[in-house]
Amino acid sequence: MSETLKFAVLPGDGIGPEVMDVALEVLSAATKPEGISLDFSSADVGGIAIDNHGEALPESTLEVCRAADAILFGSVGGPKWESLPPKEQPERAALLPLRKEFSLFANIRPGLLFPELVDASPLKTERIPDGIDIVCIRELTGGIYFGQPKATRTLEDGQKEALDTMIYKTSEIERIAEVAAVAAYGRGKKVCSVDKANVLETSVLWRQTVTEYFKKNHPDLELSHMYVDNAAMQLARDPNQFDVLFTENMFGDILSDEMGVICGSLGMMSSASLGVSQNRFDKPFGLYEPAGGTAPDIAGQGIANPCAQILSAAMMLRYSFGYDAIADRIGNAVKKAVQDGVRTGDIAFGKTPVGTKEMAAAIIERL
Ligand code: NAD
């Protein structure tokens, strides 16, 4: 049966359009032989949208996203727009509203470091002889970043006092636990839930809810719990003890960045943010993007690493369209190209670097 995948393409700024172009070529080469066609609409977002439409996320771009089953996002921002008021700057004015519009509550970041690239990690290579292969899942719409009240006031003695509210309810905890479970079934069936249940009320509820949810719904998965301070240490000591790691918003913000650092190059790091609504494929609507930014230092030179964007496109196939086998094939082709020594400058380590297009062509050859 021939199927059509309808998604929005938002390349953004800097290296965004360069890596997006080739990611679409890889996506097309991987899906065409399966009789799948791609129906994508491109729209401006970020700095280029400010230039062309006066705002980072114009209504016309939102319309393109609403009509789609997923969003493939590049990255936004750059020096040209840094003097704008913070609220109007590309990242804040485009990504945050997109997260809100589509209730993107689950951020999935693979922590993947191929054995051939272990030199890119600040960890000692003997700790990660086989590279790193874990997944970090972060709750994205709740917790202390969004909890109300949030305020600063002046006390009677003249001091100032500020307040943030950390708040979670069971339904929010259960839906992120489900995302972690789904991810674990596709991997090593091991889930570690991270909290601070020795100190925080929200964490006590988190731990109880997660324990009950897995007991009832996923008794075949191996569930463990870890305090966040220990998790931060364990990630640096022995990251591969984890398979799927999942946690609340602020802890996930910090742990996923730590994971990014130990996994080396930003050019290899993909991510997905899943929404609450289901698309026409009965899968979560999602936004898929590289973890890195617009890399203004190398933009326009055709030398950016497209792997993060390509792997983000593969995540879109997996999570929003249900094509796990094609996603695996793309992931393996990226791995094979890197193993065969085809490398962009950021991961070259003494090898002669290739450009963005050559890297993508090598991946297509290995599909
Ligand atoms: P950055 O991720 O753009 O760059 C950091 C370093 O990593 C640079 O040396 C860059 O060349 C390198 N790098 C990143 N991606 C690469 C790739 N695919 N291939 C090769 N090298 C790569 O971070 P920054 O310099 O702090 O930010 C630059 C701009 O990007 C800023 O305007 C920032 O606001 C924006 N930004 C956007 C997003 C997003 O859209 N989600 C995320 C982070 C930063």
Side-chain angles (χ1 to χ4, degrees):
M1 195 186 75
S2 139
E3 215 151 15
T4 301
L5 311 186
K6 192 169 166 61
F7 57 97
V9 170
L10 311 186
D13 310 310
I15 62 166
E18 301 169 39
V19 292
M20 183 66 84
D21 278 353
V22 299
L24 291 170
E25 284 172 23
V26 174
L27 204 52
S28 169
T31 48
K32 212 171 177 181
E34 309 290 329
I36 298 167
S37 42
L38 307 181
D39 173 11
F40 58 85
S41 307
S42 300
D44 290 341
V45 73
I48 188 164
I50 294 173
D51 291 352
N52 292 342
H53 310 266
E55 53 184 327
L57 184 64
E59 184 57 29
S60 53
T61 298
L62 266 176
E63 281 304 321
V64 168
C65 297
R66 287 188 195 114
D69 287 316
I71 303 170
L72 190 57
F73 193 94
S75 38
V76 293
K80 185 175 175 191
W81 304 281
E82 268 162 19
S83 51
L84 288 173
K87 268 190 180 162
E88 291 169 30
Q89 287 191 14
E91 256 187 284
R92 197 154 156 195
L95 267 171
L96 294 187
L98 271 173
R99 280 186 192 159
K100 200 163 172 222
E101 167 83 17
F102 296 102
S103 304
L104 302 174
F105 73 95
N107 182 248
I108 308 177
R109 270 216 227 171
L112 186 63
L113 176 68
F114 299 143
E116 293 76 16
L117 299 181
V118 288
D119 285 342
S121 174
L123 296 192
K124 288 199 179 102
T125 48
E126 57 263 34
R127 288 190 186 267
I128 44 169
D130 302 320
I132 299 173
D133 185 2
I134 60 179
V135 171
C136 182
I137 297 179
R138 165 187 169 196
E139 202 287 328
L140 210 53
T141 49
I144 199 164
Y145 291 172
F146 296 99
Q148 292 294 338
K150 211 178 230 316
T152 305
R153 60 176 180 157
T154 306
L155 300 176
E156 278 173 12
D157 65 2
Q159 292 188 73
K160 281 193 170 174
E161 185 181 68
L163 164 82
D164 292 290
T165 303
M166 191 173 209
I167 184 162
Y168 271 107
K169 53 186 172 199
T170 44
S171 55
E172 290 171 304
I173 302 169
E174 286 175 351
R175 69 185 183 188
I176 193 80
E178 179 59 24
V179 173
V182 169
Y185 282 119
R187 301 176 42 91
K189 292 193 167 184
K190 260 175 64 179
V191 174
C192 179
S193 168
V194 173
D195 61 42
K196 189 73 183 162
N198 49 345
V199 180
L200 298 174
E201 280 296 310
T202 42
S203 281
V204 171
L205 180 67
W206 181 280
R207 194 175 280 220
Q208 268 170 5
T209 307
V210 168
T211 305
E212 282 161 25
Y213 188 82
F214 275 78
K215 197 171 161 199
K216 186 168 166 215
N217 299 288
H218 303 295
D220 50 335
L221 294 176
E222 184 186 327
L223 172 69
S224 60
H225 302 272
M226 196 178 278
Y227 295 138
V228 63
D229 41 351
N230 189 22
M233 286 190 286
Q234 297 302 329
L235 257 182
R237 202 183 64 82
D238 176 19
N240 289 314
Q241 70 183 278
F242 299 110
D243 178 22
V244 174
L245 189 74
F246 84 103
T247 188
E248 65 90 52
N249 202 346
M250 180 171 60
F251 299 160
D253 189 1
I254 298 164
L255 291 182
S256 61
D257 271 5
E258 181 185 349
M259 188 190 71
V261 169
I262 63 172
C263 286
S265 174
L266 274 175
M268 299 300 293
M269 300 217 30
S270 56
S271 82
S273 298
L274 306 185
V276 286
S277 64
Q278 301 290 103
N279 63 20
R280 282 172 300 152
F281 287 70
D282 242 350
K283 300 277 175 194
F285 182 95
L287 180 146
Y288 300 86
E289 59 172 333
T294 55
D297 51 337
I298 57 165
Q301 299 175 33
I303 59 170
N305 186 347
C307 291
Q309 189 76 60
I310 292 167
L311 293 169
S312 301
M315 288 185 90
M316 177 175 79
L317 287 181
R318 186 185 304 283
Y319 288 101
S320 280
F321 295 113
Y323 284 108
D324 287 8
I326 309 178
D328 286 344
R329 206 174 311 139
I330 294 174
N332 288 333
V334 170
K335 187 173 187 176
K336 189 86 195 355
V338 170
Q339 277 172 344
D340 291 347
V342 189
R343 315 268 180 88
T344 44
D346 56 320
I347 51 169
F349 302 119
K351 298 218 168 358
T352 309
V354 301
T356 308
K357 288 189 173 144
E358 290 80 9
M359 188 78 218
I363 292 165
I364 291 174
E365 253 172 51
R366 290 162 178 80
L367 279 171

